[in-house]
């Protein structure tokens, strides 16, 4: 009886053991060729600048030196992205500075799963930022799945996007795709300063912890003098306080979800002397989420055109001359961001 019970237990466990082994094998396959990395980089920032002012009480010219601390980046992440034929490995080691326009393409160089997870903590021109870039892309012959999250602190940009698309291959180099996209955006149409006038703005600053002393100076919550008189306060300091207040109030609101139809294409042609890679997606139709601060309510409609695209071109004209151009462009919720480079190389032989 005891042997029979043991046999039954082992027989019942076999499917689970088999599934566990399959999951382990799948995990090893997805980690193969992936690279974990961490790095600290730094460089000089802006040079010291002399700022002159006249003391309102003594009339004496005063000089202050504004120094900007050095820039640095602390990065860590993991990446598994197959390089396209026209891409070369710039560094021996990954240090978090790797960027490629082709990472934004709908279709990668291989079928299967590719991913990037990177977190950067940086100081740039004296200001501290958190940058993140995470994406998963699974390319199949007939469908594409992609999830992406981007946060660029310096550009004040943050968005999430996921898409599920059907892929139709017209030729080896050219394919069309269509499907659904889910995104979140910042609240639109929210203005905490709407309807306020005059002393209301100063009252906001006082509620935030700003005070004035008997000398007429304005002091921030940390006890530092930020304005020597009311003129400087109203012209310089108060607008900065109100900007911080608006951002603080905006951050208390939840992100607004958008559900959209997407139509796109991907084209990739490569030879050793000429390559052309282009992709684009258009989002023409959107589903209203009925949220108070959704973009559809802000523009009063569900039919607006968001789009994104990229292009990479390289042409080795002859042994001496080579031309190149690359860039990508986004327009989401009437906001644009882009980067590009164009130029030529001439080799003396």
């Amino acid at each position: 009886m005891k042997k029979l019970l043991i046999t039954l237990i082992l027989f019942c466990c076999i499917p689970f053991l088999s599934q566990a082994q399959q999951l382990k094998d799948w995990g090893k396959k997805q980690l193969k060729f992936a690279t974990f990395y961490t790095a600290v980089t730094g460089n000089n920032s802006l040079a010291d600048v002399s700022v002159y002012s006249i003391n309102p009480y003594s009339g004496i010219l005063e000089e202050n030196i504004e120094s900007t601390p050095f820039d640095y980046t602390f990065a860590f992440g993991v990446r598994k992205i197959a390089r396209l034929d026209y891409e070369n490995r710039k560094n021996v080691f990954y240090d978090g500075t790797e960027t490629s326009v082709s990472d934004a393409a709908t279709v990668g160089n291989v079928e299967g799963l590719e991913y990037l997870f990177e977190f950067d903590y940086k100081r740039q021109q004296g200001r501290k930022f958190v940058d993140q870039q995470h994406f998963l892309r699974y390319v199949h012959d007939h469908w594409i799945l992609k999830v992406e999250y981007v946060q660029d602190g310096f550009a004040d940009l943050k968005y999430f996007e996921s898409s599920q698309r059907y892929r139709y291959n017209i030729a080896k180099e050219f394919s069309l795709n269509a499907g659904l996209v889910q995104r979140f955006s910042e609240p639109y149409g929210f203005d905490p300063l709407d309807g306020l006038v005059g002393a209301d703005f100063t009252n906001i600053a006082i509620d935030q912890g700003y005070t004035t002393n008997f000398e007429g100076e304005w002091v921030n919550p940390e006890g530092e003098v930020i304005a020597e008189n009311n003129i400087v306060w109203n012209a310089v300091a108060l607008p900065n306080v109100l900007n911080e207040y608006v951002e603080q109030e905006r951050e208390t609101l939840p992100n607004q979800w958008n559900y959209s139809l997407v139509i796109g294409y991907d084209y990739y042609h490569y030879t050793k002397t000429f390559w052309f890679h282009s992709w684009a997606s258009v989002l023409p139709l959107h589903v209203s989420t009925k949220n108070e601060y959704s973009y559809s309510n802000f523009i009063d409609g569900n039919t607006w055109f968001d789009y994104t695209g990229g292009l990479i071109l390289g042409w080795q004209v002859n042994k001496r001359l080579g031309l190149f151009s690359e860039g990508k462009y986004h327009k989401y919720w009437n906001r644009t961001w882009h980067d590009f480079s164009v130029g030529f190389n001439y080799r003396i032989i």
Side-chain angles (χ1 to χ4, degrees):
M1 182 66 182
K2 184 177 180 180
K3 291 183 178 180
L4 178 60
L5 182 61
I6 294 175
T7 302
L8 289 173
I9 292 174
L10 290 175
F11 181 78
C12 293
C13 288
I14 287 175
F16 296 101
L17 293 173
S18 176
Q19 291 179 5
Q21 183 62 41
Q22 290 177 2
L23 183 62
K24 181 179 178 181
D25 293 341
W26 182 86
K28 290 176 64 176
K29 180 181 178 181
Q30 302 310 321
L31 289 174
K32 189 176 182 179
F33 302 122
T35 302
F36 292 85
Y37 59 90
T38 182
V40 178
T41 58
N43 56 273
N44 293 345
S45 189
L46 299 174
D48 294 348
V49 178
S50 296
V51 178
Y52 297 94
S53 62
I54 298 177
N55 190 301
Y57 303 105
S58 64
I60 298 175
L61 180 67
E62 297 179 348
E63 178 185 5
N64 295 314
I65 305 297
E66 291 188 355
S67 298
T68 304
F70 70 92
D71 295 346
Y72 66 81
T73 299
F74 172 64
F76 61 90
V78 56
R79 63 184 291 136
K80 179 185 176 182
I81 306 174
R83 293 193 302 273
L84 290 142
D85 300 300
Y86 53 77
E87 293 181 309
N88 294 317
R89 178 76 177 271
K90 184 175 69 171
N91 299 324
V92 176
F93 297 103
Y94 290 119
D95 61 9
T97 62
E98 296 78 16
T99 59
S100 175
V101 174
S102 65
D103 289 350
T106 310
V107 179
N109 195 33
V110 296
E111 290 192 359
L113 181 65
E114 295 182 297
Y115 49 83
L116 168 67
F117 300 97
E118 181 173 320
F119 180 92
D120 298 338
Y121 181 77
K122 60 177 61 177
R123 183 171 66 194
Q124 190 171 353
Q125 298 181 12
R127 301 170 62 188
K128 294 181 179 179
F129 304 98
V130 172
D131 288 354
Q132 299 183 69
Q133 183 179 8
H134 314 299
F135 85 80
L136 287 164
R137 177 173 61 196
Y138 195 98
V139 178
H140 186 268
D141 194 39
H142 296 297
W143 48 272
I144 307 165
L145 300 177
K146 188 173 182 179
V147 180
E148 181 177 22
Y149 177 78
V150 174
Q151 178 181 356
D152 187 333
F154 190 74
D156 190 24
L157 173 68
K158 180 169 62 175
Y159 75 94
F160 166 87
E161 176 177 302
S162 65
S163 62
Q164 309 82 38
R165 313 189 191 201
Y166 169 74
R167 181 186 181 192
Y168 180 71
N169 297 297
I170 294 179
K172 182 180 180 181
E173 299 176 331
F174 182 60
S175 65
L176 300 175
N177 58 78
L180 302 175
V181 172
Q182 304 81 40
R183 303 172 294 165
F184 69 58
S185 69
E186 63 184 16
Y188 281 85
F190 172 71
D191 184 5
L193 303 179
D194 185 34
L196 302 182
V197 294
D200 294 333
F201 302 128
T202 300
N203 291 334
I204 289 175
I206 293 173
D207 292 339
Q208 297 292 101
Y210 293 84
T211 58
T212 182
N213 56 30
F214 292 107
E215 287 77 21
E217 300 172 328
W218 282 88
V219 181
N220 66 15
E222 288 74 34
E224 302 168 334
V225 175
I226 60 172
E228 297 175 346
N229 50 57
N230 283 332
I231 296 176
V232 177
W233 166 254
N234 290 319
V236 179
L238 182 56
N240 291 331
V241 173
L242 294 178
N243 286 335
E244 293 175 358
Y245 171 74
V246 170
E247 290 301 318
Q248 174 183 309
E249 292 299 302
R250 189 185 298 275
E251 289 177 358
T252 63
L253 298 176
N255 291 311
Q256 309 297 302
W257 282 95
N258 294 256
Y259 305 92
S260 310
L261 171 70
V262 62
I263 302 170
Y265 78 88
D266 189 276
Y267 179 82
Y268 177 52
H269 170 78
Y270 174 80
T271 67
K272 290 184 178 180
T273 58
F274 180 82
W275 54 90
F276 184 85
H277 188 187
S278 175
W279 64 92
S281 296
V282 179
L283 288 67
L285 184 62
H286 316 269
V287 178
S288 174
T289 55
K290 303 298 182 181
N291 292 328
E292 181 179 1
Y293 299 114
S294 68
Y295 188 71
S296 59
N297 288 342
F298 178 68
I299 64 169
D300 193 24
N302 297 327
T303 55
W304 72 88
F305 283 90
D306 286 347
Y307 51 86
T308 178
L311 183 147
I312 299 173
L313 170 68
W315 182 21
Q316 192 64 47
V317 181
N318 52 44
K319 292 183 179 181
R320 296 174 179 267
L321 180 63
L323 307 176
F324 68 90
S325 175
E326 63 178 34
K328 59 181 185 291
Y329 188 92
H330 276 79
K331 179 184 175 295
Y332 281 178
W333 310 294
N334 205 32
R335 180 177 180 182
T336 62
W337 61 96
H338 55 83
D339 58 76
F340 70 91
S341 63
V342 59
F344 71 90
N345 288 183
Y346 187 81
R347 182 182 304 164
I348 299 176
I349 56 177

